[in-house]
């Protein structure tokens, strides 16, 4: 974990400093590699909106809250914290959002208490504290969108204010109620995965054209979000924190460029064959494996395949500094690449492994 500095509640530090030093409250769980969880899908939907707005955004997943967005990736001055909660049925109410369960050590924090805790930690740099759900809060909003808690009926709002003030003595209605917002998400709990893939398809079409298949890119984005929800390693600068925990506009632009290149530049066997020094029988078998591998790649467009190809390239790229030709590259990397290939495609022989090395090198 990053080193921690003393926190002075009376002083609001720049958010670049507080994000680096304030300890996290808790860590969430994970779902399967090839599936979106709801909060990641919602966070990705928000990410796409920010990208289309043209802002220099930065969005974190499971860092101090379910989703956190900064107003600027390079020089942030404010943050919005999103707590994402789903319900199978039934509406939300102020009573449910401020309800506190009992534990052996006393009362647990309410949803609202956890939200306000981010203000206690980050002070005036907090722009919004937003509660996101697939079900509405009728006292505030009944149609999909975002609305401030203070738009509610005054009598009902006062119950929220009283409950939160009782839980958090630092809370002051005149200063803090205006920070609270409710987001009634249009992602349906039973179909949100299809919906987010559809939105990514529309995003890809607007950015690159309709020829890029959306599912592999969607799964890659999902994996990028998941990787940023993992525990922090030792970090000492905001730049390291941003690279570890946030997805930025610059990241998205780079991934879009990679998606275009990977789709449009499929390597040709002829570009390798003329320079591959190998006996003819081996060359023929490697070529056949090359064709088979290309078909497998197209038929298995999923997150596991994306992770597999990235792992292979992480092995062969460093070896390029020490080899003179394709044959010596195969010799230098086969032992490390072979188990990775066979974990992805059981029964792959040495010629298939060689084909994978050469294909990923040229891709």
């Amino acid at each position: 974990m990053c080193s921690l500095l003393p926190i002075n509640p009376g002083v609001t530090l720049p958010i670049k400093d507080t994000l680096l030093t304030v300890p996290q409250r808790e860590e969430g769980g994970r779902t399967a590699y090839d599936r979106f969880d709801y909060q990641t899908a919602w966070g990705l939907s928000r990410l796409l909106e920010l990208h289309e707005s043209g802002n220099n955004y930065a969005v974190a997943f499971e860092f101090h809250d379910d989703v956190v967005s900064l107003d600027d990736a390079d020089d942030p001055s404010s943050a919005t914290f999103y707590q994402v909660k789903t319900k199978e049925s039934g509406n939300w109410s102020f009573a449910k959002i401020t309800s506190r369960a009992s534990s052996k050590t006393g009362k647990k924090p309410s949803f609202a208490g956890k939200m306000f805790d981010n203000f206690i930690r980050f002070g005036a740099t907090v722009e919004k504290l937003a509660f996101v759900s697939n079900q509405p809060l009728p006292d505030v909003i009944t149609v999909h969108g975002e609305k401030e808690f203070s738009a509610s009926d005054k009598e009902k709002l006062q119950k929220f204010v009283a409950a939160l003030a009782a839980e958090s003595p630092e809370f002051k209605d005149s200063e803090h109620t205006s920070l609270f917002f409710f987001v009634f998400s249009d992602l349906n709990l039973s179909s949100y995965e299809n919906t987010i893939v559809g939105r990514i398809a529309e995003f890809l079409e607007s950015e690159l054209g309709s020829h890029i298949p959306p599912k592999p890119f969607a799964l890659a984005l999902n994996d990028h979000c998941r990787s940023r929800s993992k525990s922090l390693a030792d970090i000492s600068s905001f730049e390291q924190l941003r690279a570890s925990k946030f997805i930025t506009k610059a990241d998205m632009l780079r991934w879009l460029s990679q998606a275009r290149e990977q789709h449009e530049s499929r390597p040709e066997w002829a570009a390798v064959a003329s320079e591959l020094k190998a006996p003819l029988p081996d060359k023929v078998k490697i070529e056949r494996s090359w064709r088979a591998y290309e078909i497998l790649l197209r038929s298995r467009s999923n997150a596991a395949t994306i992770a597999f190809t990235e792992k292979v390239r992480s092995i062969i790229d460093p070896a390029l500094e020490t080899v003179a030709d394709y044959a010596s590259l195969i010799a230098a990397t086969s032992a490390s690449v072979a188990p990775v290939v066979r974990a992805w495609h059981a029964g792959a022989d040495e010629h298939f492994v060689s084909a994978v090395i050469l294909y990923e090198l040229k891709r």
Side-chain angles (χ1 to χ4, degrees):
M1 294 293 290
C2 58
S3 61
L4 304 179
L5 300 178
I7 301 170
N8 184 345
V11 177
T12 298
L13 296 171
I15 197 163
K16 290 172 73 169
D17 296 328
T18 51
L19 284 171
L20 191 63
T21 57
V22 172
Q24 291 194 77
R25 187 172 50 238
E26 60 188 18
E27 292 186 23
R30 309 284 183 266
T31 58
Y33 195 74
D34 275 337
R35 290 193 57 223
F36 290 87
D37 57 56
Y38 189 93
Q39 74 183 45
T40 301
W42 184 86
L44 267 176
S45 183
R46 179 65 182 142
L47 194 87
L48 299 183
E49 291 174 0
L50 290 170
H51 191 88
E52 290 166 351
S53 73
N55 295 332
N56 186 32
Y57 60 85
V59 176
F61 292 78
E62 293 188 26
F63 181 55
H64 292 291
D65 221 326
D66 294 328
V67 178
V68 179
S69 68
L70 303 182
D71 63 332
D72 188 86
D74 299 316
D75 189 23
S77 60
S78 65
T80 297
F81 295 84
Y82 297 96
Q83 189 162 143
V84 183
K85 301 299 177 187
T86 59
K87 285 166 61 75
E88 292 285 348
S89 61
N91 297 329
W92 288 98
S93 65
F94 284 138
K96 291 176 182 176
I97 292 174
T98 56
S99 175
R100 302 180 65 189
S102 298
S103 70
K104 293 180 179 179
T105 57
K107 293 282 189 179
K108 293 181 179 180
S110 67
F111 293 133
K114 290 182 179 180
M115 294 167 71
F116 186 66
D117 184 58
N118 285 319
F119 180 84
I120 295 173
R121 290 161 172 254
F122 296 99
T125 59
V126 174
E127 181 179 353
K128 290 180 183 178
L129 302 169
F131 191 94
V132 180
S133 184
N134 62 307
Q135 299 290 358
L137 173 61
D139 291 339
V140 173
I141 191 170
T142 55
V143 295
H144 297 299
E146 177 182 299
K147 203 165 186 180
E148 64 274 13
F149 279 23
S150 55
S152 173
D153 174 80
K154 288 185 178 180
E155 184 177 341
K156 293 179 179 178
L157 181 63
Q158 190 54 43
K159 293 180 179 179
F160 166 81
V161 169
L164 187 51
E167 178 177 352
S168 300
E170 300 91 341
F171 177 79
K172 294 180 174 61
D173 180 18
S174 60
E175 297 177 19
H176 304 135
T177 301
S178 60
L179 295 172
F180 285 82
F181 286 74
F182 193 93
V183 179
F184 181 17
S185 171
D186 61 355
L187 293 180
N188 187 282
L189 195 57
S190 63
S191 60
Y192 68 87
E193 289 189 79
N194 289 334
T195 302
I196 191 60
V197 171
R199 288 182 183 172
I200 290 171
E202 293 175 357
F203 173 72
L204 278 175
E205 184 171 358
S206 68
E207 295 287 328
L208 302 179
S210 59
H211 61 296
I212 307 293
K215 191 64 181 289
F217 188 76
L219 292 173
L221 285 181
N222 184 41
D223 184 45
H224 287 309
C225 296
R226 289 301 173 73
S227 69
R228 281 156 174 78
S229 69
K230 295 176 182 177
S231 298
L232 281 171
D234 290 333
I235 57 174
S236 58
S237 70
F238 174 73
E239 288 70 27
Q240 290 176 327
L241 175 66
R242 182 179 60 199
S244 175
K245 298 299 294 184
F246 287 86
I247 291 176
T248 66
K249 181 179 181 179
D251 291 327
M252 183 66 81
L253 290 173
R254 185 175 71 256
W255 297 332
L256 286 168
S257 178
Q258 290 172 351
R260 181 193 290 112
E261 291 172 2
Q262 289 182 9
H263 185 76
E264 295 178 353
S265 59
R266 292 174 181 167
E268 296 292 334
W269 168 252
V272 174
S274 60
E275 297 182 30
L276 177 60
K277 298 172 184 177
L280 181 60
D282 288 334
K283 219 169 184 179
V284 169
K285 290 176 181 178
I286 293 172
E287 179 183 4
R288 289 173 179 169
S289 294
W290 174 291
R291 309 294 182 201
Y293 177 58
E294 193 166 45
I295 292 170
L296 272 176
L297 281 178
R298 293 177 186 176
S299 65
R300 294 171 63 177
S301 294
N302 54 36
T305 295
I306 292 167
F308 157 69
T309 57
E310 289 178 351
K311 178 64 175 177
V312 170
R313 286 195 290 273
S314 74
I315 295 171
I316 62 178
D317 286 350
L320 294 175
E321 302 293 331
T322 60
V323 299
D325 53 35
Y326 293 146
S328 57
L329 175 65
I330 292 171
T333 60
S334 286
S336 298
V337 171
V340 178
V341 173
R342 288 171 184 143
W344 180 77
H345 180 53
D349 61 18
E350 61 180 307
H351 298 104
F352 193 91
V353 172
S354 297
V356 170
I357 293 168
L358 295 173
Y359 192 97
E360 293 304 326
L361 171 69
K362 301 303 288 186
R363 195 153 74 115

